[in-house]
Structures are given as structure tokens and as C-alpha cells.
Amino acid sequence: MSDSLLIFTISPVQDFIIQARRAHDLWAGSQILVELIRAAAQNVERAATKNGGKLIYPALSQASLPNIFVARLGVDGDAATQIARDAETALNERWTKLHASARARLEAKIAVDDRWKQIWDDQVTRQWEIYWSIFSATSTHASDYASW
């Protein structure tokens, strides 16, 4: 049986939330991070389930999530790599929807110029560093994650 373990994380978490000036800003930043990791993890969970794998950590039913998740994919090689890349895409698509919505609300309330738009674009396009690693295993590792 082909199988692999995926570890997926995003950064810079601390640099993102440290920008908060108020407790509400800190909470909102944390919720954005949860939305992003949830989008990636749900994408991986769907793909892994189709292949006999599963999301190992964390449980997506939690209200708050860490910036990392671990999944058994049920496939290895190029198929496993594609699942990780699709998770990146899901995260980036969610980020695009969030910042586009925020931008539209701001532009409806304040006057913006080309410089403002350029600064906005620079900040939102270079925000996230996405890291993932895949370990392919043999069937002897299938239920023993610690040995992976």
C-alpha cells in the first residue's frame, strides 16, 4: 500500500498577529489564521478521505486551530505532492477572498489613491509563507505514526 504523511504549516504567525493594536485586532487576526489553515486542512481532508487517508491533527471541529496540520494521505509520490499543492491553492484562494472583501468595504468608505492601492497589493501578496513536507512510508508504518 502506498501512503504518506503530510505536515503543513503557514508562517509568519507571530509577525501577523503582533500588528494588533487592540484586543479585537488580535482576535480578528487569529480568526483569519484559523480560516486559512481550515481551508487548507479541509481540502486535504477531502482528498485524503478519497484515498483511504485521514486528517490526523487537529480536529477540524475545534473553534480554534493551530497554524499546522498533519494528515495521512493514502497516496504517495506525485499524487501526494498534488494534494499539498492543492492545499496551498485553497489557502491562497481563501486569503484572496478575505482581503478582497476587506478592501471593497474600505474603498466604499474612504477615498483611496493609486499609492494606497499599491501598498495594499504589496502587503497582501507577500503575506504568507507556506511550508509542507511529505514522508512516504510502506504499509508497515500504516498505523504507527510515531515510527514515521
Side-chain angles (χ1 to χ4, degrees):
M1 177 177 116
S2 297
D3 205 352
S4 56
L5 195 68
L6 168 68
I7 300 172
F8 186 103
T9 187
I10 60 172
S11 188
V13 172
Q14 295 302 323
D15 288 346
F16 183 71
I17 61 174
I18 203 166
Q19 301 300 320
R21 289 183 167 58
R22 299 176 299 155
H24 186 268
D25 297 339
L26 179 61
W27 177 85
S30 295
Q31 293 306 302
I32 289 169
L33 291 166
V34 167
E35 284 286 319
L36 297 177
I37 205 71
R38 187 180 308 279
Q42 286 174 333
N43 189 280
V44 168
E45 184 178 49
R46 281 189 298 274
T49 301
K50 288 179 187 176
N51 297 307
K54 67 178 183 174
L55 188 69
I56 298 169
Y57 171 82
L60 291 180
S61 59
Q62 296 174 192
S64 183
L65 298 173
N67 68 316
I68 188 170
F69 65 85
V70 179
R72 193 182 110 228
L73 300 179
V75 294
D76 62 4
D78 291 342
T81 299
Q82 190 59 53
I83 290 172
R85 287 187 178 138
D86 290 345
E88 280 188 66
T89 299
L91 185 148
N92 285 320
E93 286 174 353
R94 185 66 182 131
W95 173 240
T96 298
K97 286 179 184 175
L98 289 170
H99 75 72
S101 173
R103 182 176 181 161
R105 286 189 309 239
L106 280 170
E107 288 180 346
K109 294 181 182 219
I110 63 172
V112 298
D113 59 13
D114 289 340
R115 178 78 177 128
W116 183 93
K117 291 176 183 179
Q118 184 61 48
I119 291 169
W120 179 280
D121 290 340
D122 288 347
Q123 289 180 344
V124 299
T125 57
R126 294 179 290 142
Q127 184 61 51
W128 304 112
E129 298 170 18
I130 301 170
Y131 302 99
W132 49 265
S133 183
I134 297 171
F135 176 77
S136 294
T138 64
S139 60
T140 58
H141 294 102
S143 62
D144 183 15
Y145 304 122
S147 70
W148 288 30

